[in-house]
Amino acid sequence: MKVPPLRALAAAVLAVTLVLSGPAAPAHAARTQANPNGPNTSLLEMLDFALDVLSQAGDGDVSPEDLAVLTQRVIDALNQAESAVIAHLDAIAVADLRSNATHAVVEFEDINNLSEDVLWDWAQKVSGDALRATEYLDVVSAGKAVDDVGYAVVTMFPIALVARARAGLGTTNLRNQFRAAAQKIADKLAPTCRDHYPEPNSIPLIRAYTCTVYGPHTVTQLEQNWLGHWQLGPIDEAAVHAASYANTSRAVAVEWLRQLP
């Protein structure tokens, strides 16, 4: 009877942890050194704050000063995510998409300082750029390429929606376009999951469940039951599935699909 040594099991669990978390980027890292595979919590916050702006602007009862405060929350969240976003944008091969998305990220920081006429023009421009970005979702198929374009899309659309809300322009059609784009991202970056047995001759048997989006976005969980007692696990398949795409643009797209009014 072969029972896997504890050290081997610990090493397997450690490997799973490394796959899930990825290498940490130094706090002082330059944009080109940012970890594009790291957490995108700030982008999810940006989405929440953008929805607040849209809701308040739609009600029409919020003062311009309060709207500027709400907008600043969106800006601050994007600033926290900017290095990782730019790292994804830098990887995009299409020059106009890369340039337009980067320009939107950089210019958004000054939206509270734009005059009414300039804001109107910029809101229309960034809306058009966001719509054009979605066209590239139809021509990319490799996981990383889809994710890079996905980051451009999920970053540009909230910027465009906030800009339009601040300029007094309609947002309904653009929201619907964002929903369609988010669905494409969710579909194209859907994880592939499988059961497998890393040590098929071991007793008790170790079962592994792995979900992969692409490359580093792979998560594995192990389970092992011996005489009715869990030595590892049990596996939470839904958690493994969600963790595999947690640090991709799919996470933001799925959240948008969930929250979009």
Side-chain angles (χ1 to χ4, degrees):
M1 177 174 67
K2 179 183 178 184
V3 179
L6 182 59
R7 181 179 299 176
L9 292 178
V13 173
L14 177 60
V16 171
T17 303
L18 290 176
V19 168
L20 173 59
S21 60
H28 61 277
R31 284 179 175 175
T32 55
Q33 295 174 313
N35 175 21
N37 300 316
N40 53 22
T41 306
S42 294
L43 275 182
L44 292 171
E45 290 179 349
M46 176 192 175
L47 177 62
D48 288 339
F49 292 144
L51 289 171
D52 286 343
V53 172
L54 295 177
S55 175
Q56 295 291 334
D59 289 342
D61 295 329
V62 63
S63 69
E65 293 77 17
D66 288 341
L67 199 54
V69 171
L70 292 173
T71 302
Q72 188 61 48
R73 293 177 184 172
V74 185
I75 294 169
D76 292 343
L78 179 56
N79 284 343
Q80 291 295 316
E82 183 176 346
S83 292
V85 169
I86 294 294
H88 277 282
L89 300 184
D90 284 346
I92 295 174
V94 184
D96 64 334
L97 172 57
R98 183 174 64 248
S99 175
N100 290 339
T102 304
H103 185 257
V105 170
V106 172
E107 290 297 320
F108 186 57
E109 187 171 5
D110 291 320
I111 188 174
N112 280 332
N113 301 320
L114 299 180
S115 67
E116 184 176 337
D117 290 342
V118 173
L119 175 59
W120 182 289
D121 290 340
W122 187 67
Q124 291 184 317
K125 179 185 184 304
V126 75
S127 297
D129 291 342
L131 289 171
R132 281 186 290 275
T134 65
E135 297 174 4
Y136 293 102
L137 290 173
D138 295 324
V139 299
V140 291
S141 56
K144 185 180 184 308
V146 174
D147 198 21
D148 290 336
V149 174
Y151 267 96
V153 170
V154 300
T155 303
M156 293 173 72
F157 266 91
I159 289 174
L161 286 166
V162 170
R164 292 183 70 85
R166 291 294 304 275
L169 299 171
T171 61
T172 300
N173 185 50
L174 198 63
R175 292 188 201 201
N176 292 337
Q177 294 291 334
F178 191 8
R179 178 187 286 278
Q183 189 63 62
K184 286 183 182 180
I185 295 168
D187 292 344
K188 289 203 166 195
L189 293 178
T192 300
C193 301
R194 65 187 179 94
D195 286 311
H196 55 108
Y197 300 90
E199 297 192 34
N201 296 321
S202 67
I203 299 176
L205 188 65
I206 298 173
R207 171 183 170 238
Y209 186 73
T210 296
C211 289
T212 300
V213 179
Y214 72 90
H217 301 287
T218 297
V219 175
T220 296
Q221 189 176 5
L222 306 176
E223 71 177 17
Q224 184 183 55
N225 189 289
W226 179 242
L227 299 177
H229 299 284
W230 289 105
Q231 296 176 316
L232 287 173
I235 290 172
D236 185 339
E237 294 186 0
V240 176
H241 184 272
S244 67
Y245 66 81
N247 298 334
T248 71
S249 58
R250 186 180 199 267
V252 185
V254 167
E255 186 65 11
W256 178 261
L257 291 170
R258 186 183 72 83
Q259 290 198 45
L260 186 66

